[in-house]
Amino acid sequence: MDEILNALTNSSVWAGVILTFLLKAVFKRTPQVLKGFSRGLKLRHIRKIKRLRHNQDAVTYHSIKAHAYFLLFFGCTAFFLMLVSMGPLVPLLKLPQWVFFIAFSPVLFIEIMWLNQNSLAQSLIEHRGKLRVTRRSIMCPVVQGTDLRSDAASAH
C-alpha cells in the first residue's frame, strides 16, 4: 500500500498520466493530417516519374546512380566496421550506445540516400514499360524538355 501511495505522490507518475491524455488527444487528429501529407508526397512522386519515364537516358542515369549509392554505402560500412574492429574507434564501443549511433549516423544517412534512389530507379523502370506506343509517339518522340517537331521545322 505504501508503494502505491509513494507512486501517487511521485511527479513523474502524474507527468506520465497527463502525457498519456495529451498524446491521445493529439493522435486523434493525426490520421487525417498524415493522410493528406502522404497523398501529397505520393502525388509529387508520381508526377516526377511521369516526367522522367519518357527519357530513357534519365531512367538509365537514375539506375546507375542507385548502384553508385549502393557501392558508396557498402564501402562506408566496411570502412567503419574496420575502424571499429581494429582501428582508432575501438574505445567507442566502451562509451554509451547513443554515442556509437551518432558516430555511425553518416553511414545510415548514405543508406537512406541509397534506398530512396533505388526506389526511384525501380519505379522508373516499372513505369517505363507502361508507356503506350501509338503512331504519333513513333513518328515524333518527345524528349524531356524539348519538342523535336519545332527543331525539325526550324532546320528547313
Side-chain angles (χ1 to χ4, degrees):
M1 187 71 178
D2 289 333
E3 292 178 19
I4 295 173
L5 290 175
N6 287 337
L8 289 176
T9 58
N10 193 351
S11 62
S12 63
V13 171
W14 287 107
V17 170
I18 292 171
L19 186 64
T20 302
F21 285 113
L22 285 176
L23 288 177
K24 184 178 179 183
V26 167
F27 284 124
K28 192 173 187 177
R29 293 238 188 244
T30 301
Q32 297 166 349
V33 173
L34 288 179
K35 185 177 181 181
F37 181 71
S38 172
R39 290 180 71 184
L41 286 177
K42 191 173 185 179
L43 178 65
R44 190 172 68 184
H45 180 71
I46 289 172
R47 283 183 180 164
K48 184 176 184 178
I49 287 175
K50 282 189 175 186
R51 183 174 30 98
L52 292 174
R53 71 181 178 167
H54 293 284
N55 188 350
Q56 183 61 37
D57 293 336
V59 174
T60 305
Y61 170 75
H62 284 286
S63 177
I64 291 171
K65 194 173 173 184
H67 291 299
Y69 280 160
F70 171 72
L71 292 175
L72 181 66
F73 167 67
F74 186 76
C76 286
T77 304
F79 182 70
F80 187 80
L81 289 176
M82 183 186 70
L83 287 178
V84 168
S85 65
M86 63 182 180
L89 295 181
V90 172
L92 192 65
L93 296 174
K94 295 180 177 98
L95 294 175
Q97 198 173 29
W98 63 271
V99 175
F100 181 77
F101 284 125
I102 289 174
F104 195 68
S105 64
V107 175
L108 297 176
F109 178 73
I110 292 171
E111 180 183 13
I112 291 170
M113 286 175 35
W114 163 55
L115 291 174
N116 284 338
Q117 186 63 40
N118 193 35
S119 173
L120 176 64
Q122 285 178 347
S123 296
L124 281 172
I125 291 168
E126 177 185 337
H127 285 79
R128 176 74 181 158
K130 292 182 179 179
L131 289 177
R132 285 187 339 181
V133 178
T134 62
R135 184 168 181 220
R136 183 171 183 232
S137 67
I138 293 171
M139 297 200 49
C140 74
V142 176
V143 179
Q144 179 185 4
T146 63
D147 188 5
L148 294 178
R149 289 173 288 176
S150 63
D151 293 340
S154 63
H156 294 292

